[in-house]
Amino acid sequence: MFTLRSSFTRLSGVFHTINARRSALIACPLPVLLLCAAADLTISKRINSTPETNVSATQLTQGDTPNRNRQSRSGLGSNGNHSGAYQEDYFTHVSSCGWQFLRGQGPFREGYTYQFFPDGTFIWSVVSDYTEIVHGRWDYKPLSSTTALLFIFAQGSGEVLYSKFVPGQKRLLLGGYLLDPIPAQQLHRSPTEDTNHLDIINKANFNNYFLITARPWKRLNMQDDDLVPRFYAFHQDGTFLARYRDGKCEHSGYWSLRKSRLLLEMPQNHCDMRGHANPFNLELEYKVEPTSLAIDHKYKYAPTD
């Protein structure tokens, strides 16, 4: 079990450890949800008509593979890939509301909020007993009308988060965690924020992401072979493939890059011999170089073709 303090620290990724708590924002009332949904009724209807029964993108069974047919729309380069209805639906919906994650109850409730503005800037703010605000830039690569890779860049580093709008709930699954809609904020741009060059998706800003997705990775040592994959492939459409014990077992899932951590949305699977009856989020510390990938400081992987 994680404490509220440690779990929030891992969720925020780029931000300081929480040292205290305060009475946080209460859950969004129904009028707020209706206000947010009314920003674009066409989008809401299209999202709610998507044939899907699972609440979370993590709910894959062993052997399920996320839709690889989307790959033709998700090849990443230095230029944008915003086209047609994909751009209109995702962009309008993600920028029409603020988005909030909260955990805990009463005075121990804490979390964070995002506001993604149409001009390509964003504001992240902490919900706790102190104030912290981060300004930065954002862009995205659409995968469908309801899913995208969200690229955020602030304070000299970048994160890449798999995101998905949950049908019927008007909630945003962002980097493995569900966020609720809140009223859109007024834009308070940092005086040092440059909005003239919003094409941020490049190797300079997201070098670790491009290194990780360049090739599959094979583990060099056989330590903990019963529970640690020997093979990882991190795809540019937000999916990953984990293969165990020379292919005797494998599963897929979704992944995000949170600065110093890989966040894997793990499906129910039995490849890990300890067994996992339910989907869960797995956060792994990593260090990547052109010829090596270290996970949790002790599992070393080499690139493979």
Side-chain angles (χ1 to χ4, degrees), residues 166-188:
V166 181
Q169 295 190 26
K170 300 179 179 64
R171 304 173 79 187
L172 176 64
L173 181 70
L174 181 63
Y177 297 93
L178 283 170
L179 279 64
D180 293 305
I182 58 176
Q185 306 169 17
Q186 181 180 357
L187 175 59
H188 297 288

Side-chain angles (χ1 to χ4, degrees), residues 14 36 38 43 65 92 136 141 155 169 246 256 258 263 293 303:
V14 285
C36 237
I43 294 173
T65 301
T92 303
K141 292 291 184 179
Q155 299 178 335
Q169 295 190 26
D246 292 329
S256 296
R258 287 186 172 272
L263 188 145
L293 172 63

Side-chain angles (χ1 to χ4, degrees), residues 13 29 39 124 146 150 157 199 241 249 263 270-271 274 277 282 288 297:
W124 178 95
T146 59
L150 191 60
S157 64
D199 183 13
L241 175 66
C249 190
L263 188 145
H270 299 286
C271 292
R274 296 169 298 182
L282 177 64
V288 63
H297 306 289

Side-chain angles (χ1 to χ4, degrees), residues 197-211:
H197 305 285
L198 297 180
D199 183 13
I200 64 171
I201 304 176
N202 53 60
K203 291 183 179 180
N205 292 339
F206 299 92
N207 185 56
N208 286 349
Y209 174 81
F210 283 98
L211 284 175

Side-chain angles (χ1 to χ4, degrees), residues 91-125:
F91 177 83
T92 303
H93 203 60
V94 79
S95 60
S96 65
C97 299
W99 301 98
Q100 177 177 263
F101 175 84
L102 288 177
R103 176 171 290 181
Q105 299 293 329
F108 299 106
R109 209 166 198 194
E110 61 189 15
Y112 55 86
T113 64
Y114 276 108
Q115 177 72 55
F116 300 102
F117 298 102
D119 68 352
T121 62
F122 79 89
I123 295 177
W124 178 95
S125 58

Side-chain angles (χ1 to χ4, degrees), residues 9-273:
T9 300
R10 297 176 67 184
L11 293 174
S12 61
V14 285
F15 311 113
H16 299 298
T17 303
I18 292 176
N19 296 316
R21 309 185 183 278
R22 74 174 180 183
S23 298
L25 298 175
I26 61 173
C28 278
L30 181 60
V32 170
L33 296 178
L34 295 176
L35 176 65
C36 237
D40 195 326
L41 292 177
T42 301
I43 294 173
S44 297
K45 291 178 181 178
R46 195 172 300 175
I47 290 175
N48 289 329
S49 65
T50 302
E52 182 169 343
T53 57
N54 293 337
V55 172
S56 169
T58 60
Q59 294 179 352
L60 304 171
T61 59
Q62 181 179 356
D64 284 349
T65 301
N67 187 1
R68 302 294 295 160
N69 293 330
R70 301 176 313 195
Q71 191 170 10
S72 61
R73 295 184 178 270
S74 62
L76 302 187
S78 59
N79 298 321
N81 187 27
H82 304 164
S83 59
Y86 284 3
Q87 176 184 7
E88 176 185 355
D89 286 7
Y90 184 87
F91 177 83
T92 303
H93 203 60
V94 79
S95 60
S96 65
C97 299
W99 301 98
Q100 177 177 263
F101 175 84
L102 288 177
R103 176 171 290 181
Q105 299 293 329
F108 299 106
R109 209 166 198 194
E110 61 189 15
Y112 55 86
T113 64
Y114 276 108
Q115 177 72 55
F116 300 102
F117 298 102
D119 68 352
T121 62
F122 79 89
I123 295 177
W124 178 95
S125 58
V126 68
V127 178
S128 189
D129 61 349
Y130 70 96
T131 300
E132 183 177 1
I133 298 175
V134 173
H135 296 256
R137 292 179 289 166
W138 73 284
D139 204 345
Y140 70 102
K141 292 291 184 179
L143 305 175
S144 74
S145 60
T146 59
T147 61
L149 295 181
L150 191 60
F151 290 76
I152 60 177
F153 186 78
Q155 299 178 335
S157 64
E159 298 187 352
V160 183
L161 307 177
Y162 178 81
S163 62
K164 176 179 181 177
F165 288 106
V166 181
Q169 295 190 26
K170 300 179 179 64
R171 304 173 79 187
L172 176 64
L173 181 70
L174 181 63
Y177 297 93
L178 283 170
L179 279 64
D180 293 305
I182 58 176
Q185 306 169 17
Q186 181 180 357
L187 175 59
H188 297 288
R189 185 181 296 115
S190 168
T192 62
E193 185 63 44
D194 179 9
T195 61
N196 294 323
H197 305 285
L198 297 180
D199 183 13
I200 64 171
I201 304 176
N202 53 60
K203 291 183 179 180
N205 292 339
F206 299 92
N207 185 56
N208 286 349
Y209 174 81
F210 283 98
L211 284 175
I212 289 174
T213 58
R215 286 175 289 181
W217 300 89
K218 187 174 182 179
R219 185 155 50 93
L220 297 176
N221 54 341
M222 297 298 103
Q223 184 179 2
D224 297 329
D225 206 37
D226 288 338
L227 52 105
V228 177
R230 285 192 188 177
F231 172 92
Y232 275 120
F234 299 96
H235 303 295
Q236 290 189 358
D237 65 353
T239 65
F240 75 90
L241 175 66
R243 187 172 292 148
Y244 301 70
R245 298 176 291 281
D246 292 329
K248 293 180 180 179
C249 190
E250 67 178 43
H251 65 76
S252 58
Y254 298 98
W255 74 287
S256 296
L257 187 70
R258 287 186 172 272
K259 197 175 181 180
S260 63
R261 293 181 180 272
L262 292 169
L263 188 145
L264 308 184
E265 298 180 46
M266 301 287 283
Q268 177 182 351
N269 74 90
H270 299 286
C271 292
D272 183 336
M273 301 300 286

